[in-house]
Amino acid sequence: MFPVSPEKEKLLMAKLDSLGIHERDLQEAFVRSQGKGGQNVNKVSTCVYLKHIPTGEEVKCQKSRSQGLNRYYARVLLFEKIERLIKGRESEEKQRIEKIRRQKRKRSKRAKEKILAEKRLHSIKKAGRSIMHIHEGDM
């Protein structure tokens, strides 16, 4: 199907299947590429546009001068994009749960003492400022 080794093709198909991405869910179009490539790029539609209909994710690939390779790379890009979308949701949920857990956790005695010491220093600074303003007002 693609001009890559059968192993690479099988690996890609396995990855796509793991995320539930099927060929029937893909909308594929070919567009003229831009940039380097000379006559081949100007005459042949080597740029591949791929859309995954269920998620609405789109990719465009013109990595190579070959349409076949671009079809392969477009699928790789689409897989990575959808994987980031799925994994991102999972990691956001994990981060939210972890944040709540940290907030509920009791502070250690040492951490409390450190926070209180910082608060005392801050109050001393503020008290020092107010005395300065009073003296300036007398002048």
Side-chain angles (χ1 to χ4, degrees):
M1 186 171 160
F2 303 113
V4 292
S5 67
E7 294 84 32
K8 279 188 175 182
E9 192 173 328
K10 282 179 186 174
L11 188 64
L12 174 65
M13 291 305 160
K15 284 180 178 181
L16 292 174
D17 283 341
S18 71
L19 288 183
I21 302 170
H22 306 287
E23 284 294 320
R24 64 178 177 271
D25 297 335
L26 300 179
Q27 181 181 349
E28 189 173 41
F30 304 102
V31 190
R32 291 244 174 100
S33 296
Q34 295 175 341
K36 297 176 192 170
Q39 188 176 6
N40 183 62
V41 164
N42 297 329
K43 290 177 78 176
V44 183
S45 298
T46 54
C47 181
V48 177
Y49 164 84
L50 206 56
K51 180 177 181 179
H52 185 241
I53 298 164
T55 59
E57 291 297 319
E58 301 173 341
V59 291
K60 228 178 189 182
C61 182
Q62 60 178 39
K63 222 176 188 180
S64 165
R65 288 177 58 189
S66 157
Q67 189 184 73
L69 273 178
N70 284 335
R71 290 181 71 214
Y72 172 79
Y73 290 134
R75 281 162 176 76
V76 171
L77 289 173
L78 186 70
F79 165 77
E80 289 169 356
K81 197 171 186 180
I82 292 174
E83 185 181 42
R84 273 195 307 271
L85 186 77
I86 292 168
K87 299 280 191 224
R89 283 192 195 134
E90 289 174 4
S91 67
E92 283 172 16
E93 183 66 17
K94 282 181 184 175
Q95 286 174 349
R96 189 183 67 80
I97 291 167
E98 184 62 26
K99 183 180 178 184
I100 292 169
R101 194 179 68 73
R102 279 194 310 269
Q103 287 172 342
K104 289 183 176 180
R105 184 178 63 204
K106 275 187 149 183
R107 287 199 176 102
S108 68
K109 198 172 188 179
R110 192 172 177 184
K112 283 182 195 173
E113 288 172 2
K114 188 177 177 182
I115 290 169
L116 289 173
E118 287 173 8
K119 282 186 173 185
R120 278 189 223 104
L121 284 174
H122 193 65
S123 67
I124 291 168
K125 273 189 210 173
K126 287 182 88 170
R129 290 185 199 136
S130 63
I131 294 169
M132 296 272 276
H133 288 297
I134 294 169
H135 291 297
E136 287 175 11
D138 292 340
M139 291 183 173

